[in-house]
Structure formats: C-alpha cells, structure tokens
Amino acid sequence: MSERTRAITIADVAAKAGVSQASVSRVLNGKQSVDPGIVRSVQSAIAALGYSPSVAARSLVHGRNDTIAMVVPDLENPLFQGILKGLSRAAASDGYRVLVADTAERVDDEEATALEARQRCDALVLCAPRMPESQLRRLVGRVSPVVVVNRPLPDAAVPIVGVDYVRGIRDLVDHLRELGHRRIAYVSGPATSASNAERLRGVDEAIAAHPDVRIDVVPGGSRLDDGYAAAESVVAAHVGGATAVIAFNDLVALGLLQRLGELGIDVPGELSLAGFDDVPMASFATPPLTSMSVPRTEIGAQVWARLRTLIAGGPIEHSVLYRPRLEARGSTGPVR
Amino acid sequence: MSERTRAITIADVAAKAGVSQASVSRVLNGKQSVDPGIVRSVQSAIAALGYSPSVAARSLVHGRNDTIAMVVPDLENPLFQGILKGLSRAAASDGYRVLVADTAERVDDEEATALEARQRCDALVLCAPRMPESQLRRLVGRVSPVVVVNRPLPDAAVPIVGVDYVRGIRDLVDHLRELGHRRIAYVSGPATSASNAERLRGVDEAIAAHPDVRIDVVPGGSRLDDGYAAAESVVAAHVGGATAVIAFNDLVALGLLQRLGELGIDVPGELSLAGFDDVPMASFATPPLTSMSVPRTEIGAQVWARLRTLIAGGPIEHSVLYRPRLEARGSTGPVR
DNA sequence: CTGTTAGCGCGTTCAA
DNA sequence: TTGAACGCGCTAACAG
C-alpha cells in the first residue's frame, strides 16, 4: 500500500515558508517577536504540511520531557488509584504526563524499576515503597527530584506526603472506646507495608493512653480475600472477649464483613467493625462501614505541587501528613 | 551546596576508557564484536563514572522511546484499572512503559489528549473512547499504531479488543428467564458509552428472542451513587411488575442494592438483581451479586499483544471479543 | 527582527 | 576490529 513516509521536520516547514528554521522555531515557541508576515506564512506552512514538532528532539535539547513517573506496588489498590488519578490530573494541568510503573509487590524489583523509570522521566513519585529503609534512603538520593508517598523517612532530603495512620488509629480506637468497647482486635496488613507499621504504632499508643483497653493483633492482609480469610482469627478473638474489630483497610474490612455474615455473626450487634481509607464502597456496604477517610486525590495533587517545585529548582517543601477523618457509620455500635 | 553537575555522557566514558565513542556504543549495545580488552575497560569506566545512556538521545536516533499511552475516560473505573494493570505488566515484560492520560470524561478533550499522548509515545491505546464514531474513525488513522478497547468500529483498520456485551446481556436475560422472570428492568449506563449501547442491543435481541419477556429501560449511570439514585425508578418498575433488574455494571448494581436494602426491598426475595463486570467486590456483597465476568487484565494483555505486533510493523491482527461468563450468585433467585 | 552556526547525546555509516 | 565524521530534529547564541 502506501509508502512508509518519514515524518516532516522543521526544515520542511522552513523551506515551504521560505524562512529559516530558527524563525519557525520562534513562531512555534512564541519567543521574541517575529514579523507578522513570517508568522502567518509559517503557520500556514505548518497547517499545510500537518507538521508537529518532535518530542524527542525537544527532550534532547531541553534535557527534560515533561513526564513524571509513579512507582507503585499494586495498581489494584483503591488508595493508589485515587492518588494516581489526583496526580495525573494535577500534573496534566501543568502540561505534564504520568508514567505508571507497577512493581506487582515484588520488593526486589522496586529499585531497578524506579531507576529505570527515572531515566525516562523528569521526576519520580515513590508510592508506598516496600524496600528496606537504608536502601530507600540511598535510592532517593539517586533519583531526585522525587517525592515519597506513604512511607516515613525521618530527616531525609525528600518531601513526603502521607497519612497520619498513628493518629487515625488512635482516633478510631477512641471512637470505639466511647461506644464502650474495651477489647478490640486489629487485623493487620502486609508485613512489608510501612503504613501497617504506623497503624501498629497507633495501636500501641492507644493501649498506652487507655490502660483499660486491650487490643489483640491478628494476621490479615490488604485485599478482600485476606479479610475473608481472617474471619477465623477474628472469631477466635471475639470468643476471647473482643467486641470490636479494626481492619487494616476497607477492603479487608469488607471481606471480613462478608464472612462474618456467613458465619451468622451480627455486625454491629455482636461485633463492631471498622476499616480504613473510606473507599467509595464503604458507605454502600451492609451495614455501612465505619472508616477513616483519607483524601486520595488530594494527596495526588499535593504530591504534584511538591514535585513541581522541585523540578523548577525550588526548595524541598515541607512534608505533610493528612489526618484521617472518622466516618462513623452503621458497622460500629455500642457494646452491649 | 554541591554544584549542579551536568550528566556524564558517552564521551566521558570514551575518554576515561581511552577509546572512541563508537566503541563504547558497541559495548553498550553488544553490536559487532569488540576486543575483550576494550570491553573490560569500557565497562569499568562506565561503573566508575556511574554512567547511564540518555534516553532522549536514543529516542531521537531511533525514532521511538519504548513507551505507549493509554487514554481512558476515568481512571476510577475498576474495569479500566484492570485493563491498565494487565497492559502495564504485559508491556513491561517487553521493556515498554505505559503513560496514562485520563480525560475525566470530557469528550471534547479526548481527541487532543490522544494526539498529544501519541506524540510522546510509540503507540496508543484508546480505551472506551466516547467521541462520535466519525471523529474516532478519523482519529485512529492519525495515531496509528493504535488499538481500540471496548468500542466497536466496523471495518476500521484497527485491532479492537472488547467484550461481547450483546451476548453477555442475552446470557444474563436467559439466566433470569430460567428463574422464571418475565418482567425485567435494565438500569442503563452513560449515554456516551458505546458499551451501554451494546447492552441495549442485547436487551432488544433478548426481547425479540423471547416474546414473553419484557424489559423496561430506566436511566442510571456508571458509579455507585448512580445506582443508589436509580432506586426510585427501579422501585417504580418493580411496582409495575418487574421482578428482576439488570444494572449497567457492578458499581451501579451495588449502589442499587444498598438503596433497596434501605427501602426494605428484599433481594432476591422480591427482586432479583444482577450486575456486569464481576468486580472483586461483587462476590463480597450481601447477598453476593450475580454478575457477568469480564477478564480485565487478560484484555490488557491482549491489547499489548496486538500493539506489539503493530509496532514491529506487523499486520493488523484480528479483533477479539470476550464472551462474558455468568457468575450466578445469591442476588438472583427464582421468581415467586 | 532574521539567518547562520553550533551543539544536545547517541547510533551508524565508512575507511582504515 | 576500530575511530572519525555525520545526522537524528530542534533550540539557543551570535551576528548581521
């Protein structure tokens, strides 16, 4: 059929318009002032030829390509999806695009993936990195500009945007305590998750603050089926006296809720249940799930704000920690 | 603090190794045969300098950058997330990365977004484009190589990967009919969604095939709250005689399920309810939601397979339509 | 205000 | 096998 035709270049436009490449470039970028006549002839030449500049050539000259990368352990996590959406839209408003790199929870691939992604982009977002702290500290130094999400890294020269899980758990425990609960079970998240470690700190602090409260930790995970599978341990804790359960996140809570229903355990009658993240589905569960709300897309926007500053050569802006907001719903009730 | 240091280039490596740039390039790309001694000195120079090649320069020379873009109406849709995940992982295994471009359901921005994304990448995936067919036909010609997802485009020179919604709806109606239902309500999706149009065709075909079945269409949407809001219309249809409901997708079904519960309508006792897509949450609802399963990540992988062929200069491979699989669960039951 | 020139960093001829 | 030289497409500096 048709010949594989080479793309048209700025030289073609210049020739057709009868001017120099520099003039075409000026018209293209609106630099300096150009003779209105030239502008018109260049513009019509561009239109006639259907020319569009080579992004690659521009990148080579400028040393940047207006693209950032987000490295994430699992694209299926609603929290990360929300952050990606917020980041993508915020960056787009400044003419930047977002590359996604899903490490599929393979901790060993994280560093290589991050380095490779950074090669292609002007900056990086490391979302809930699972790698050891020492490795992460080394890495952030190599991939700057970079912003870290949901992973504490004290005194590191990196802006961090995250969620105050410690505070969130404490607030949640307070809520349950006010309802009369004194024995609580916490269904934990992935061992590699830093935010799970933070939640556990929240658990410890809550216990310290309220000597009358006891919290047992049972193994869980991060997905629906993890919650479903955790039901057995939760029931054991319930038999042992627990009257309320806090799940690592809403997915775990919803999976657990389902299984508890199958087992004939009334929520919140016999057992109160709360999740974390306040995913859209939370308020649509039966009963509606009490959760700690986290501003997912807002986090993405804040990440972009910090990254943009860094890209522009600005300072490392202050880290920010969002305080989760309690959304008390039907799944938690007074102890009886 | 430290000087803003210019990145090291292949010339630096060549100098340090005492060879020509060409030799370094050869070692880097494993082309031709190079003297083992040179190889070693180059490699140690690379290691010593911490050199890594410029992606931009490579892109300029090769005319490609091993990146593809996926344009999607809404990143929050579980179906698109699954496709993105499958696409991203499949492409990654071939050394390609994925750029995401979320149009936020702004139909008017779709074309510009697609063109801009294509500039930066070697190929494009148009996921459920909302634009008019004529515009889409024109567009696909301009952004080739491209694969279209979930949008029929008869006789177009583009591989299409999609879901047989017509057949899916028919199978779902058959399921309900076997349970004794004769009056059904369909809660429709977004007006701009081509897959909704396909579902409506399925509805029509089902009616034609089963003269004893009547299906009423009520307005809906694509998200949880759309389903919640559609409850009123559904109840009206129920009062009018409908004993079963098919929702545009699982999100709508789940939102509807919630509201029906609040209204004291028993599912499936009074009203059977089915969704579409079989999102992870479907089987965890109360009652578990009957749905039509769609292989989300598999679709992403198939998209990549076709795109890869196209990028390699291969032929336009056959389009493929996945037949949804019925997952009959507790939300649908015999009419009584 | 305009054109000419010199790179940006790399791959790839073409001789040697 | 190796190195020198050119070109990918564009922007920025410098003259004119």
Side-chain angles (χ1 to χ4, degrees), chain B residues 10 25 51 54 58 61:
Chain B
I10 198 173
S25 177
Y51 165 80
S54 154
R58 275 194 145 117
V61 171

Side-chain angles (χ1 to χ4, degrees), chain B residues 269-325:
Chain B
E270 295 178 65
L271 204 51
S272 279
L273 173 62
F276 215 108
D277 288 352
D278 192 27
V279 301
M281 187 60 208
S283 57
F284 288 91
T286 307
L289 183 67
T290 290
S291 189
M292 299 301 295
S293 166
V294 170
R296 296 183 293 281
T297 58
E298 164 71 15
I299 287 176
Q302 284 299 325
V303 167
W304 172 242
R306 280 159 180 69
L307 210 47
R308 181 178 50 178
T309 299
L310 247 36
I311 291 174
I316 296 173
E317 294 185 287
H318 293 296
S319 292
V320 57
L321 227 49
Y322 284 91
R323 177 174 178 174
R325 184 179 59 210

Side-chain angles (χ1 to χ4, degrees), chain A residues 24-244:
Chain A
V24 177
S25 178
R26 289 184 188 108
V27 174
L28 242 41
N29 303 299
K31 300 274 190 176
Q32 307 182 58
S33 48
V34 187
D35 183 280
I38 302 248
V39 173
R40 260 182 286 107
S41 64
V42 166
Q43 283 172 338
S44 66
I46 288 177
L49 270 45
Y51 165 81
S52 70
S54 154
V55 175
R58 274 193 147 120
S59 297
L60 182 57
V61 171
H62 287 139
R64 54 192 196 74
N65 64 0
D66 301 317
T67 303
I68 64 174
M70 171 164 164
V71 182
V72 57
D74 180 14
L75 269 178
E76 216 141 41
N77 185 315
L79 177 62
F80 301 152
Q81 288 164 356
I83 295 173
L84 172 60
K85 180 172 171 176
L87 177 68
S88 162
R89 295 188 174 178
S93 72
D94 285 314
Y96 276 75
R97 291 277 172 216
V98 179
L99 201 76
V100 294
D102 178 358
T103 63
E105 293 280 5
R106 288 188 305 266
V107 181
D108 296 341
D109 291 356
E110 276 189 338
E111 181 165 17
T113 301
L115 289 170
E116 196 268 354
R118 177 63 180 79
Q119 297 276 134
R120 308 187 182 223
C121 301
D122 302 340
L124 218 55
V125 177
L126 294 176
C127 203
R130 309 304 203 197
M131 70 183 73
E133 179 169 329
S134 59
Q135 186 185 14
L136 180 58
R137 284 184 185 279
R138 233 177 306 122
L139 180 62
V140 295
R142 299 179 56 190
V143 296
S144 172
V146 59
V147 171
V148 172
V149 179
N150 257 12
R151 171 85 188 244
L153 208 60
D155 305 320
V158 191
I160 296 186
V161 180
V163 174
D164 192 344
Y165 291 105
V166 177
R167 187 63 190 247
I169 289 293
R170 289 207 48 182
D171 288 347
L172 190 46
V173 170
D174 285 349
H175 166 67
L176 292 173
R177 190 165 175 282
E178 280 167 18
L179 290 172
H181 300 279
R182 294 295 180 272
R183 291 285 302 277
I184 302 173
Y186 171 64
V187 182
S188 65
T192 52
S193 162
S195 72
N196 181 57
E198 292 293 293
R199 289 170 172 87
L200 287 172
R201 275 188 51 210
V203 165
D204 289 341
E205 286 194 9
I207 293 174
H210 306 296
D212 57 339
V213 170
R214 176 173 149 189
I215 305 180
D216 296 317
V217 177
V218 306
S222 64
R223 299 166 314 174
L224 283 165
D225 47 325
D226 293 324
Y228 189 91
E232 201 174 330
S233 308
V234 168
V235 170
H238 178 42
V239 170
T243 59

Side-chain angles (χ1 to χ4, degrees), chain B residues 50 67 73 86 229:
Chain B
T67 304

